[in-house]
Amino acid sequence: MSSYRELLRRLRDEIDEVSVAKAAGTADQPLYLDVREQDEWVEGHIPGALHVPRGNLESRVEQLVPDHERPIVVYCAGGNRSVFAARTLEELGYERVASLSGGFTDWKRNGFPVQLPRSLDPERRARYSRHLLIPEVGEEGQLKLLDARVLLVGAGGLGSPASLYLAAAGVGRLGIVDEDVVDASNLQRQVLHTTESLGRSKVDSATATLQALNPDVEVVGYQERLTSENVDRILADGWDVIVDGADNFPTRYLVNDASVWHEIPVVHGSIFRFEGQVTVFDPRRAADGDGNGSGERTGPCYRCLFPTPPPPELAPSCAEGGVLGVLPGIIGSLQANEALKLVLGVGDPLVGRLLLFDALQPGFTEVAVRRDPACPVCGDEPTISEYIDYVEFCSRGAHAPMP
Ligand SMILES: [Zn+2]
């Protein structure tokens, strides 16, 4: 049996230690790994450091630092806990590990730069506590959500549940494009709006509802119909994700073409009677080795599936375009789910996968959808390079049968 002091002394002989002056002076910057507790981390840390509390080190570090040859300087407050952490890292196969002698205390005392991380105030900690309890979200994820910007095309059936859940989740900025006013026939499913908002613009009604739900959310309203004239202006306001709840083909094609050219992922949803469908069109190129974004596109766009709008006689007529009231609640919530995943960078987005829902069964079916190299917009030799304003032949017919 050895005492703590003996064990510490023995480990000190076995692992590498580096002084703050030497670590900070290294031309080839190592990865600083902070193994202190959360309450110490929020007081300040070495800029660019990775935070893995000592208690989670074994279970989390390999996922966060897959490269076992990367130079790592592990630190704590005074340089003792990091000795044990360094030994653990060596046992996990990390080859170039050193413990920062004197720890963060010495680092600060010597005047090296310190980064004060942002953190949630007590009010937000309470509001988002059920997010903070999920390791995949946590405080860092919640800060990402508060920084996120999501554009909703349409404040109707799909946009209602999607925007309500995104606002409740604390997505910091929500854009809403809709030119309509609230009509009595909307209230059977468009839960953003109430009987009191009849005759009011949907953008105003949605803004009031969402800000009452969560004052952290800034709502940017565009009370206009999306057209070739305004789409670039609206997208230039900087959106991380577009949630497409459009109920007509002209808007759907505009959103698609603009999202490919602006490289913004689109969470697509549509509904008809008892059927709904959701997928993610992500026109961003996969990162390649150079990180210059010249890699392959990862998934299809809407035009890969439907190069042009269907002829009017094949689209559902306006009179036939009914929908069960709860269906947009299900599909719009799935769209919010995909948008939150994209912002947080967790899970597998529905890229290249079309999720179909049948309310009567009820049940989900998944169909693989592929990028078409001959696609007129995202293909290898695009034939469409300017926005097209298609003539609207039915305002309620954007749910297309899938191949
Ligand atoms: Zn395409």
Side-chain angles (χ1 to χ4, degrees):
M1 285 275 282
S2 47
S3 70
Y4 166 72
R5 288 195 168 281
E6 286 164 10
L7 184 60
L8 184 61
R9 194 180 309 123
R10 187 156 53 78
L11 286 182
R12 277 227 154 85
D13 289 339
E14 292 173 13
I15 59 140
D16 286 338
E17 283 190 293
V18 61
S19 69
V20 294
K22 190 166 176 225
T26 312
D28 196 9
Q29 275 293 295
L31 170 69
Y32 286 100
L33 183 63
D34 189 322
V35 295
R36 296 174 301 159
E37 299 303 314
Q38 176 69 17
D39 56 336
E40 301 175 277
W41 164 262
V42 299
E43 299 282 308
H45 58 80
I46 295 179
L50 178 69
H51 180 223
V52 185
R54 176 70 189 88
N56 304 115
L57 189 62
E58 291 87 344
S59 60
R60 291 189 54 198
V61 72
E62 287 181 295
Q63 197 189 349
L64 297 168
V65 189
D67 180 0
H68 283 66
E69 289 168 20
R70 188 167 174 190
I72 297 174
V73 171
V74 55
Y75 73 91
C76 59
N80 290 344
R81 280 173 288 173
S82 57
V83 168
F84 294 93
R87 160 46 64 91
T88 299
L89 290 168
E90 286 182 353
E91 285 172 352
L92 286 169
Y94 289 91
E95 293 168 12
R96 301 167 69 189
V97 181
S99 165
L100 189 67
S101 173
F104 188 59
T105 308
D106 245 21
W107 179 275
K108 274 194 301 188
R109 192 187 296 138
N110 282 276
F112 292 114
V114 169
Q115 187 176 328
L116 292 171
R118 296 164 59 209
S119 61
L120 297 170
D121 57 32
E123 207 176 307
R124 291 199 170 95
R125 295 196 76 82
R127 178 180 280 269
Y128 304 115
S129 64
R130 295 306 184 274
H131 270 165
L132 304 185
L133 289 168
I134 309 174
E136 289 81 358
V137 184
E139 185 162 19
E140 202 177 316
Q142 190 60 53
L143 288 165
K144 273 191 206 169
L145 291 173
L146 287 163
D147 284 340
R149 299 152 301 176
V150 176
L151 180 70
L152 294 124
V153 178
L158 296 169
S160 283
S163 61
L164 281 166
Y165 276 108
L166 293 174
V171 170
R173 181 183 281 201
L174 291 177
I176 295 182
V177 190
D178 203 310
E179 65 160 354
D180 289 344
V181 297
V182 180
D183 179 81
S185 67
N186 300 149
L187 301 179
Q188 165 251 21
R189 65 201 175 283
Q190 301 186 9
V191 294
L192 263 180
H193 316 296
T194 64
T195 307
E196 271 187 18
S197 36
L198 283 174
R200 205 173 165 192
S201 82
K202 285 192 180 175
V203 162
D204 282 353
S205 164
T207 304
T209 306
L210 297 172
Q211 284 185 334
L213 174 60
N214 188 351
D216 283 344
V217 179
E218 180 198 355
V219 181
V220 184
Y222 303 93
Q223 199 189 330
E224 50 198 313
R225 181 184 178 79
L226 203 67
T227 66
S228 60
E229 300 295 314
N230 63 15
V231 63
D232 279 334
R233 165 172 57 80
I234 292 171
L235 264 56
D237 287 345
W239 304 101
D240 303 311
V241 179
I242 298 172
V243 172
D244 182 8
D247 59 2
N248 63 82
F249 283 110
T251 303
R252 187 140 283 172
Y253 280 93
L254 270 178
V255 167
N256 181 72
D257 299 353
S259 72
V260 172
W261 295 329
H262 287 259
E263 303 213 326
I264 304 171
V266 175
V267 183
H268 164 104
S270 75
I271 44 175
F272 179 65
R273 295 184 178 176
F274 298 101
E275 293 167 23
Q277 42 191 243
V278 192
T279 189
V280 173
F281 297 120
D282 192 345
R284 294 173 299 182
R285 292 173 184 278
D288 56 14
D290 310 330
N292 63 5
S294 63
E296 278 294 300
R297 293 190 194 277
T298 51
C301 78
Y302 187 69
R303 281 195 197 265
C304 291
L305 310 183
F306 304 108
T308 53
E313 62 271 20
L314 290 185
S317 78
C318 298
E320 286 169 343
V323 62
L324 187 69
V326 68
L327 184 66
I330 296 165
I331 300 301
S333 299
L334 284 168
Q335 288 182 280
N337 183 52
E338 291 304 305
L340 291 178
K341 281 162 57 189
L342 287 169
V343 169
L344 292 168
V346 299
D348 294 319
L350 279 171
V351 174
R353 300 150 65 197
L354 179 71
L355 190 65
L356 307 165
F357 177 68
D358 179 347
L360 292 178
Q361 291 278 344
F364 288 97
T365 319
E366 194 178 298
V367 180
V369 285
R370 285 188 187 81
R371 179 177 167 260
D372 180 3
C375 171
V377 169
C378 80
D380 299 336
E381 289 170 24
T383 52
I384 296 174
S385 57
E386 281 180 6
Y387 295 116
I388 303 169
D389 284 309
Y390 291 108
V391 178
E392 185 176 359
F393 39 81
C394 174
S395 65
R396 297 288 174 267
H399 182 85
M402 285 292 166

